Amino acid sequence: MPSYSDYVTTMQRIADIRAASAVLQWDQETYLPPKGAHFRGRQLSTLSEIAHEEFCSDSIGALLDGLLAAGTLDDAQRRNVELSLEDYQKARKYSASLVRRLSDAGNNAFHSWMEARRRNDFRLFAPALTEMVALKKEEASVLGYTAHPYDALLNEYEKGATTAQLDAVFGALLPQLRGLLDELLAQPAADDSFLRQHYPADTQWQWGLHLLRALGFDGEAGRQDRSEHPFSTSFSPQDVRITTRIDEADFANMTWSTIHELGHALYEQGLPPEQYGLPLGEAASLSIHESQSRLWENNVGRSPAFWEYWLPQLRTYFPGQLAAVDGERFFRGINKVQPSLIRTEADEVTYHFHVYIRYTLEKALLDGSLQVADVPGYWKENYRKWLGVTPPDDKSGALQDVHWSHGSFGYFPTYSLGSLYAAQFYAAAAAALPGLEDDLRQGRTERLLDWLRREVHQHGRRYTSDGLCRRITAQSLSSAYFIDYVRQKYGLT
């Protein structure tokens, strides 16, 4: 008779293989020497294929079916096995060949993207992206869909979500944001020139490490490095890696990307270690993951209460740049609303237009109404339409995000969903934790982190995004919380 311990041993063995692959991917984006790219691609493809074949074996299917039929599992154990069976049934749709081809294409596309960015020429990335789009269409067909091929890929990141639902979310959100944007642009522009002085890279780095430690990042269970595009990855709850990038002429670039990735890292470090390799040891979804990063980056990290404590400390790192900048000017500057080109540097109001452009572009690539060669033109046209700005080159246009080189089609909408969840969760936290704003004014974030550990992190994948939201806030996702938050922050109430 199959035992639950057999299941745990088997799943953790597969998790070990996937973690080894993740280490190689992290190294690929941080320290890999250029000449190692070919062999690194081979290594990643081999590990991906091995993990897939191990997980899709008939013996695992029999083990999962047997455990559920036996009726001897407790609630947590049953949920783990149910979720593993869902994953197993989906994974069985993939052939080993498709898994390897996706991995090979991702490695090739990543290095093509890096070279295209270096030379500021989308045409160098286009062949690899064309191959990736073809494979993602094949993957969508393998997974199956009813209305749109994008639905199949979206479900990989946000279980149960559909293009119809996302169209409704954006359809309700963007007109309200357009109105808020018009109101804000009619006001005198905030002065953020102090952010674009010379901020030495080494001092920024030391500041970032200090901030990470103070906000709860466990340095003995993770580390920070530098990369072309900030990201986070986890090999276990006790080995979580994040990266940032530094621009000596733009202080905002490093600080808020560091806080953003910290939010991801705190989630990963808060997952239960005893559930390593099992669904209850994994994040609920990409939108919930993004809710954690956006909550720390914006609801906390761009609030006046937070900087009431942290601005005096920041001045000790950069006295020449910030000695004459008072709290009000600093707060207005770091929250300046202005249409811009770069998603990761966008303010909270215009951010969702960046996401929407990428979402519609991905849909068009997958349904064939847009060809890869036309991506830069589509990008420029929609940036003019939605934000009134035009990218002067490919690096600040269609080459700015790493996601397509990884094959992450369906990922971008989770950024907007995450921001909406963040506002709703933060409102719930403020109601549950009287004096939360006073905590932030004193540089204390422990109560908030403990609340997030209890309400979000510890549950892993036990609940869907909607189920978790209803459990925490007693209702499904509502953009009203985000709109209210923006209005209050910018004095539009």
Side-chain angles (χ1 to χ4, degrees), residues 307-322:
W307 287 104
E308 189 171 320
Y309 175 84
W310 281 106
L311 182 55
Q313 293 207 35
L314 180 59
R315 288 195 189 103
T316 67
Y317 283 82
F318 303 103
Q321 295 89 337
L322 296 173

Side-chain angles (χ1 to χ4, degrees), residues 102-173:
L102 283 166
S103 181
D104 286 343
N107 180 70
N108 177 53
F110 174 73
H111 293 287
S112 294
W113 173 78
M114 289 283 286
E115 179 64 11
R117 274 182 62 84
R118 187 182 71 82
R119 295 171 61 179
N120 197 11
D121 189 346
F122 182 85
R123 291 172 298 180
L124 299 176
F125 181 49
L129 181 57
T130 299
E131 179 186 11
M132 181 62 76
V133 170
L135 281 171
K136 300 311 284 189
K137 289 180 179 178
E138 181 179 347
E139 182 181 8
S141 179
V142 165
L143 291 171
Y145 58 89
T146 301
H148 196 286
Y150 195 80
D151 292 344
L153 304 180
L154 176 62
N155 195 59
E156 295 294 286
Y157 303 105
E158 193 62 23
K159 185 178 177 181
T162 65
T163 53
Q165 292 171 341
L166 287 177
D167 289 344
V169 168
F170 283 117
L173 178 64

Side-chain angles (χ1 to χ4, degrees), residues 86-401:
E86 288 182 19
D87 295 341
Y88 171 79
Q89 291 169 340
K90 181 172 64 178
R92 293 268 288 191
K93 296 180 179 180
Y94 290 81
S95 66
S97 169
L98 178 56
V99 170
R100 175 172 280 276
R101 284 185 288 131
L102 283 166
S103 181
D104 286 343
N107 180 70
N108 177 53
F110 174 73
H111 293 287
S112 294
W113 173 78
M114 289 283 286
E115 179 64 11
R117 274 182 62 84
R118 187 182 71 82
R119 295 171 61 179
N120 197 11
D121 189 346
F122 182 85
R123 291 172 298 180
L124 299 176
F125 181 49
L129 181 57
T130 299
E131 179 186 11
M132 181 62 76
V133 170
L135 281 171
K136 300 311 284 189
K137 289 180 179 178
E138 181 179 347
E139 182 181 8
S141 179
V142 165
L143 291 171
Y145 58 89
T146 301
H148 196 286
Y150 195 80
D151 292 344
L153 304 180
L154 176 62
N155 195 59
E156 295 294 286
Y157 303 105
E158 193 62 23
K159 185 178 177 181
T162 65
T163 53
Q165 292 171 341
L166 287 177
D167 289 344
V169 168
F170 283 117
L173 178 64
L174 295 186
Q176 295 185 77
L177 290 181
R178 183 71 253 179
L180 292 176
L181 180 59
D182 290 342
E183 285 187 64
L184 290 166
L185 293 179
Q187 299 177 358
D191 178 9
D192 64 345
S193 59
F194 62 88
L195 294 171
R196 293 187 298 278
Q197 304 175 75
H198 178 71
Y199 289 86
D202 289 344
T203 311
Q204 286 197 60
W205 181 254
Q206 292 305 317
W207 155 253
L209 292 177
H210 172 58
L211 196 58
L212 285 173
R213 289 190 292 267
L215 296 181
F217 181 72
D218 184 351
E220 294 186 355
R223 58 177 288 135
Q224 177 171 255
D225 292 274
R226 302 185 196 186
S227 67
E228 179 73 12
H229 188 102
F231 71 96
S232 62
T233 189
S234 174
F235 316 134
S236 76
Q238 296 174 349
D239 188 357
V240 179
R241 312 293 177 93
I242 61 177
T243 70
T244 191
R245 63 183 173 203
I246 295 177
D247 183 345
E248 290 191 323
D250 181 3
F251 174 73
N253 206 312
M254 185 281 299
T255 291
W256 283 277
S257 70
T258 295
I259 300 175
H260 180 97
E261 300 306 333
L262 166 72
H264 286 304
L266 292 177
Y267 191 0
E268 292 291 333
Q269 290 184 339
L271 293 169
E274 67 275 10
Q275 299 286 352
Y276 166 74
L278 310 179
L280 296 192
E282 299 170 351
S285 71
L286 263 294
S287 67
I288 299 301
H289 225 310
E290 193 63 21
S291 78
Q292 301 306 284
S293 60
R294 298 293 282 179
L295 185 151
W296 285 99
E297 176 190 0
N298 294 324
N299 301 84
V300 174
R302 294 185 189 274
S303 70
F306 180 84
W307 287 104
E308 189 171 320
Y309 175 84
W310 281 106
L311 182 55
Q313 293 207 35
L314 180 59
R315 288 195 189 103
T316 67
Y317 283 82
F318 303 103
Q321 295 89 337
L322 296 173
V325 180
D326 63 22
E328 177 64 20
R329 182 184 172 198
F330 187 86
F331 171 71
R332 283 176 52 79
I334 67 174
N335 287 288
K336 182 178 181 177
V337 174
Q338 180 178 356
S340 60
L341 297 171
I342 308 299
R343 175 185 61 84
T344 57
E345 300 167 15
D347 60 81
E348 295 177 77
V349 177
T350 61
Y351 184 81
H352 299 279
F353 295 101
H354 292 263
V355 173
Y356 183 70
I357 290 167
R358 288 154 176 79
Y359 163 60
T360 58
L361 190 156
E362 288 184 345
K363 284 199 303 179
L365 283 174
L366 287 170
D367 66 24
S369 59
L370 179 70
Q371 301 304 307
V372 167
D374 299 323
V375 164
Y378 181 97
W379 192 282
K380 290 180 180 180
E381 177 187 347
N382 279 273
Y383 264 76
R384 283 195 298 268
K385 173 183 175 181
W386 289 104
L387 291 167
V389 295
T390 302
D393 55 23
D394 290 337
K395 190 172 182 179
S396 59
L399 284 175
Q400 68 177 263
D401 297 297

